[in-house]
Amino acid sequence: MDVEAVSSDKLVAEAFSSRRRSNSVSDDYSTQRTNDDATQCKYFAVQKGYWKDEFIGRFVSGANEETSRFPEISLGYWCRTKIVEQHVKQFINKFSGKVQIISLGSGFDTLFWRLSAENLKFLKFVEVDFASVTSRKIRNIMKPGTPEMTSFFSEKPSIIHHTDLHSGNYHLIGADLRQLGELNTKLDAADLDNSIPTICIAECVLVYMSGSHSSALLEALCSRFKKLSFLNYEQFRSSDEFTKVMEANLGNRGIQLHGLSMCESADKQKERFNMAGFSSVEVHDMNEVFNRILDPADATRVKKIEMLDELELLWQLLAHYCVVYAENH
Ligand SMILES: C[S@@+](CC[C@H](N)C(=O)[O-])C[C@H]1O[C@@H](n2cnc3c(N)ncnc32)[C@H](O)[C@@H]1O
């Protein structure tokens, strides 16, 4: 091969790698923005009365005007918020509060404050997200307001590099969940005990990373924590037309669902969790969660909020999301 060919090959390779780098940065940026969507949707549903959350408004950016949203979306968020809350409460009660909770890709979620406001006790609550998301969350946490967000911490918060906050029972960590070395080092800084019952929550998070990245993450957590439970909420039945339309819509906004192939079926979810070292795995689609697992009286109440009499679209939407509950012990 002549010198010119070598150097032009090098130039082309560099161009590709730089394009790949910038694509991946803009891809990550779009992924981070999904947190703003989730926060807005949750805030809207809370304002409508689907559930109570006196903290979510602290994390809403921009004008807090009421954008109109389909009731099906708010019902979907009700279902997702409630099932996560229900599972975590059961986990806390099962071990009389001697537990650790880790929320992966936590965004601006408020579960730590909602549980604390109900006086539920646990040893540690750790949240992880990209550093650009955690730094924004820290700014909102530290803003004065009623109630003070920091008043729920067991120690005075110490903030490192604007991205990490440590405060005894609560830790907020800026890390990329695909970078396992960085993640493990940051989890060490939260002073977690690997032998204590620990629950990891991933609410609409794993689907943004490739199957190999999420499998490596599950495997790493599974081998680190001896008594690990994992609660995963994400897309389901992902190979049908409904998902293709959703994927195209998200793609138009630059949002890629790299892990969609993991969301095809209950078998696929079971396989990925088993392969990562989880011995028991349950999968429920959100119709089952809505109609059989959550409190029926509350389900009847929320259906009436916006007088939804035509339920076909709701069932279709809920059929395309699931909750996976896995344990490694
Ligand atoms: C749809 S939002 C959900 C936020 C929150 N779990 C909730 O339900 O409100 C997805 C979140 O996952 C985070 N995320 C996705 N991939 C991530 C990664 N590789 N490392 C860290 N965070 C990630 C995003 O930044 C975003 O905050």
Side-chain angles (χ1 to χ4, degrees), residues 153-203:
F153 298 159
S154 63
E155 286 172 17
K156 194 170 176 295
S158 95
I159 296 169
I160 302 166
H161 302 310
H162 307 287
T163 60
D164 294 14
L165 182 155
H166 298 284
S167 71
N169 61 342
Y170 176 79
H171 300 258
L172 178 55
I173 287 170
D176 183 336
L177 297 166
R178 297 164 300 187
Q179 307 290 333
L180 299 177
E182 178 194 26
L183 178 67
N184 268 316
T185 311
K186 294 260 183 148
L187 289 179
D188 289 343
D191 208 13
L192 289 157
D193 182 334
N194 299 340
S195 64
I196 286 177
T198 301
I199 186 165
C200 280
I201 307 161
E203 189 182 329

Side-chain angles (χ1 to χ4, degrees), residues 32-49:
Q32 290 153 21
R33 289 197 48 203
T34 62
N35 167 51
D36 295 319
D37 292 346
T39 309
Q40 288 280 356
C41 287
K42 287 180 176 180
Y43 179 62
F44 180 81
V46 165
Q47 279 182 311
K48 286 269 174 200

Side-chain angles (χ1 to χ4, degrees), residues 31-32 34-35 38 42 80 104-107 109 129-130 133 175-178 203-205 208-209:
T31 302
Q32 290 153 21
T34 62
N35 167 51
K42 287 180 176 180
R80 136 187 188 176
L104 304 166
S106 57
D109 190 61
D129 209 299
F130 284 114
V133 175
D176 183 336
L177 297 166
R178 297 164 300 187
E203 189 182 329
C204 234
V205 174
Y208 294 106
M209 55 185 96

Side-chain angles (χ1 to χ4, degrees), residues 14-289:
E14 273 169 7
F16 271 124
S17 111
S18 124
R19 198 177 303 161
R20 201 174 297 129
R21 271 200 306 277
S22 66
N23 277 350
S24 116
V25 168
S26 69
D27 198 20
D28 285 354
Y29 177 67
S30 304
T31 302
Q32 290 153 21
R33 289 197 48 203
T34 62
N35 167 51
D36 295 319
D37 292 346
T39 309
Q40 288 280 356
C41 287
K42 287 180 176 180
Y43 179 62
F44 180 81
V46 165
Q47 279 182 311
K48 286 269 174 200
Y50 284 89
W51 70 96
K52 289 195 171 62
D53 184 342
E54 58 178 321
F55 306 101
I56 190 78
R58 307 284 284 275
F59 295 105
V60 177
S61 53
N64 292 351
E65 83 277 3
E66 271 206 5
T67 14
S68 75
R69 291 193 197 280
F70 293 115
E72 287 86 353
I73 303 286
S74 294
L75 285 163
Y77 272 92
W78 170 79
C79 211
R80 136 187 188 176
T81 305
K82 284 290 146 186
I83 193 64
V84 171
E85 200 179 285
Q86 178 167 311
H87 261 301
V88 173
K89 283 182 177 173
Q90 280 167 358
F91 189 76
I92 292 174
N93 291 335
K94 182 171 171 190
F95 297 103
S96 310
K98 305 264 178 296
V99 297
Q100 305 174 130
I101 302 160
I102 304 176
S103 177
L104 304 166
S106 57
F108 290 172
D109 190 61
T110 58
L111 185 60
F112 167 79
W113 289 273
R114 285 181 277 130
L115 296 173
S116 303
E118 284 187 37
N119 227 5
L120 280 159
K121 301 285 178 232
F122 38 84
L123 298 174
K124 274 192 189 289
F125 199 113
V126 180
E127 297 192 301
V128 186
D129 209 299
F130 284 114
S132 59
V133 175
T134 56
S135 58
R136 286 176 59 209
K137 190 163 191 172
I138 290 174
R139 282 203 299 278
N140 289 320
I141 289 172
M142 298 309 290
K143 273 190 203 148
T146 313
E148 289 289 347
M149 306 287 285
T150 54
S151 66
F152 296 92
F153 298 159
S154 63
E155 286 172 17
K156 194 170 176 295
S158 95
I159 296 169
I160 302 166
H161 302 310
H162 307 287
T163 60
D164 294 14
L165 182 155
H166 298 284
S167 71
N169 61 342
Y170 176 79
H171 300 258
L172 178 55
I173 287 170
D176 183 336
L177 297 166
R178 297 164 300 187
Q179 307 290 333
L180 299 177
E182 178 194 26
L183 178 67
N184 268 316
T185 311
K186 294 260 183 148
L187 289 179
D188 289 343
D191 208 13
L192 289 157
D193 182 334
N194 299 340
S195 64
I196 286 177
T198 301
I199 186 165
C200 280
I201 307 161
E203 189 182 329
C204 234
V205 174
L206 299 185
V207 71
Y208 294 106
M209 55 185 96
S210 69
S212 55
H213 277 130
S214 64
S215 294
L217 172 67
L218 293 177
E219 220 175 295
L221 293 166
C222 205
S223 57
R224 177 175 179 137
F225 295 103
K226 302 304 158 223
K227 292 178 190 150
L228 181 66
S229 296
F230 202 106
L231 184 59
N232 177 35
Y233 167 89
E234 65 185 351
Q235 279 78 353
F236 193 44
R237 304 193 167 98
S238 63
S239 47
D240 71 4
E241 205 46 42
F242 181 99
T243 310
K244 288 201 179 79
V245 173
M246 180 195 66
E247 203 182 358
N249 288 340
L250 290 173
N252 288 338
R253 298 169 53 208
I255 300 167
Q256 307 296 325
L257 302 176
H258 298 290
L260 216 43
S261 64
M262 293 284 155
C263 307
E264 269 168 22
S265 61
D267 284 347
K268 195 88 190 181
Q269 288 281 5
K270 283 182 184 160
E271 185 188 316
R272 76 161 2 165
F273 275 89
N274 285 149
M275 296 273 287
F278 290 88
S279 46
S280 80
V281 188
E282 279 173 35
V283 182
H284 303 280
D285 84 8
M286 295 310 276
N287 273 321
E288 222 181 317
V289 171

